[in-house]
Amino acid sequence: MVSTPTRTTAAPTARGGSLGRTAGRTAGSSPVPAPPSTRTAGPPAVRVRAWYRRFWSALEGTGKSRNGSTYYLILGSTLALTAIGIMMVLSASSVEAIAAGESPYSAALKQGGFAAIGIFGMFVLSRVNVVWLRRIAWGVMILAVALLGLVLLVGRSALGNQNWIDVGPFTFQPSEAAKLALALWMATVLDRKAKLLHEWRHALVPVVAPGAAVVLGLILAGNDLGTAMIVMIIVAAALFFAGVRLYFFAFAGGLLAIGTTILAVTNPNRMCRILSWTGQTCADGSDLNYQSTNGLYGLASGGWFGVGLGQSRQKYSWIPEAHNDFIFAIIGEELGLVGTLVVLVLFAILGTAIYRVVVAQHDVFHRVLAGAIMVWLLGQASVNMAVVTGLAPVIGVPLPFISYGGSALLMSLCAIGVVLSLARAQMDPGMQPKKMLKFGPAAFANSVRRARAARAAAARNEAKNRPAKNPAARNPAAKNPATKNPAAKSAAPKNRTKA
């Protein structure tokens, strides 16, 4: 005997007034809306979800009234974080610059210059159709791998890491460009293999091996475990948003945990950092947790409102190179808890707005690209803040948009430009920011064809209007009225004959 499942009325009632909607669907009629008094009933998670949807619906609008608030939230929070970064780089680097005999504004001016270039690139990419970027995905990936290999040959080492290439008076870090190139390349490949990703070998090849494996190997060859960890997070995010099955992540996570442990144990410098983080002493008696300890002192001395902008004490070489990875500690000391909360809120706004862009994408390429960028920026910010606050061992990871570093700032702003392009496409066409230029071979060919057609139309109009200005030239009979109407000439003799 087979029992027929039945639905009780208690469960729908407890889920926020869904009884009326269920009954309406069962009877085959149109859905019956729940009473206003019961729409917010139910568990707290349901109420929070309903409030979140109503809030974003009111903020963003629907249909033709979509005002693009997501676009402007991403743009505003990014520009605000960049401005805070330039200001704090000036404050944190001025003391060491003066001690070295340099201008106190040198680091801030360089950061401002890269910010200007990055903002220009961000606005350009925000006006480019992201689909066109798919055409250059393989090219930028090959270029990124070539630059990472070039670092190992002619790169410059600093603090044990070989990450930089000297380009005149500036230095360039190819590993930062590799993050954006890898996200774009993975989105392109996963989009083409979307229907095959339920099989582990298609999810693994070529995204994880050899693509991400080559990038990770070259970065680890330069002894940069922090950047390698961020790249691992980007790869995991791309696979997740592509829809790879979850058991694959459990297996890959176990392998990565084993690999990270081996890399930490086999390197004395990394092992010393872990021992210092746990409060133990290294074998050689050094304390590699020195920066983190003084960072905590700076955060603690800041209090609620800080000691004042530019008044930090820890930047007097207590925190070496405070304008780099530990700039969040200077923010907490000079601007206090309020300043750190402002930075956290700006990152939260940025992450929430990008998440809104991700969940609105129906195309795998768009969703994977935006999701990988979101996890990259927010994951890197979380790791940096965890290191500064002592929640993680010291890892050389900069704070996006704020820490000193032209390559990191430039690539982060370009990544935001890609997300802005997706957010712009979600806006009502009448409210979209106007395009500045047309990019791409197809767009260039279309512009040439339009210009040629416009010139041909203008020539035709000119040829059509030129005879109209001189009717006599077009009709010679107009010069002699007697020959204008031949019928009148032939009719005149007939009249004279009758007379």
Side-chain angles (χ1 to χ4, degrees), residues 386-449:
V387 170
V388 174
T389 55
L391 298 177
V394 176
I395 302 173
V397 175
L399 185 60
F401 308 109
I402 296 181
S403 291
Y404 176 75
S407 301
L409 179 60
L410 181 61
M411 291 298 107
S412 299
L413 290 173
C414 289
I416 291 295
V418 174
V419 179
L420 286 176
S421 177
L422 297 174
R424 178 178 170 274
Q426 297 176 6
M427 299 169 60
D428 179 72
M431 297 183 179
Q432 291 181 1
K434 295 181 179 180
K435 293 184 178 181
M436 294 185 299
L437 293 171
K438 301 284 186 179
F439 293 92
F444 177 74
N446 290 334
S447 63
V448 171
R449 282 195 295 267

Side-chain angles (χ1 to χ4, degrees), residues 268-480:
N269 182 276
R270 296 171 188 152
M271 198 63 195
C272 185
R273 292 186 182 187
I274 296 174
L275 292 175
S276 299
W277 176 61
T278 58
Q280 303 179 38
T281 305
C282 298
D284 56 357
S286 60
D287 182 16
L288 295 182
N289 210 40
Y290 177 79
Q291 281 183 306
S292 181
T293 302
N294 285 280
L296 291 176
Y297 291 158
L299 291 172
S301 61
W304 283 94
F305 301 102
V307 298
L309 185 62
Q311 303 301 316
S312 170
R313 302 178 184 89
Q314 298 300 320
K315 66 183 180 183
Y316 285 84
S317 296
W318 291 103
I319 301 179
E321 297 189 3
H323 55 291
N324 286 334
D325 300 341
F326 276 79
I327 196 169
F328 189 70
I330 305 301
I331 295 175
E333 183 181 8
E334 295 188 350
L335 305 180
L337 179 63
V338 174
T340 58
L341 289 179
V342 168
V343 174
L344 288 174
V345 168
L346 288 174
F347 274 111
I349 292 173
L350 179 64
T352 304
I354 298 179
Y355 175 75
R356 291 285 299 176
V357 175
V358 174
V359 298
Q361 304 302 322
H362 302 287
D363 185 75
V364 175
F365 173 76
H366 294 163
R367 184 171 64 250
V368 171
L369 182 57
I373 291 173
M374 178 186 70
V375 174
W376 160 22
L377 297 177
L378 297 184
Q380 186 167 317
S382 300
V383 171
N384 178 273
M385 295 178 187
V387 170
V388 174
T389 55
L391 298 177
V394 176
I395 302 173
V397 175
L399 185 60
F401 308 109
I402 296 181
S403 291
Y404 176 75
S407 301
L409 179 60
L410 181 61
M411 291 298 107
S412 299
L413 290 173
C414 289
I416 291 295
V418 174
V419 179
L420 286 176
S421 177
L422 297 174
R424 178 178 170 274
Q426 297 176 6
M427 299 169 60
D428 179 72
M431 297 183 179
Q432 291 181 1
K434 295 181 179 180
K435 293 184 178 181
M436 294 185 299
L437 293 171
K438 301 284 186 179
F439 293 92
F444 177 74
N446 290 334
S447 63
V448 171
R449 282 195 295 267
R450 284 194 298 268
R452 189 177 299 168
R455 287 195 299 268
R460 286 194 300 268
N461 292 334
E462 184 179 357
K464 191 180 296 182
N465 295 331
R466 187 180 301 153
K469 296 180 181 179
N470 188 4
R474 184 177 59 182
N475 188 4
K479 296 181 178 180
N480 188 359

Side-chain angles (χ1 to χ4, degrees), residues 472-496:
R474 184 177 59 182
N475 188 4
K479 296 181 178 180
N480 188 359
T483 60
K484 186 175 182 181
N485 191 354
K489 291 176 63 179
S490 60
K494 292 180 181 179
N495 293 336
R496 289 193 295 270

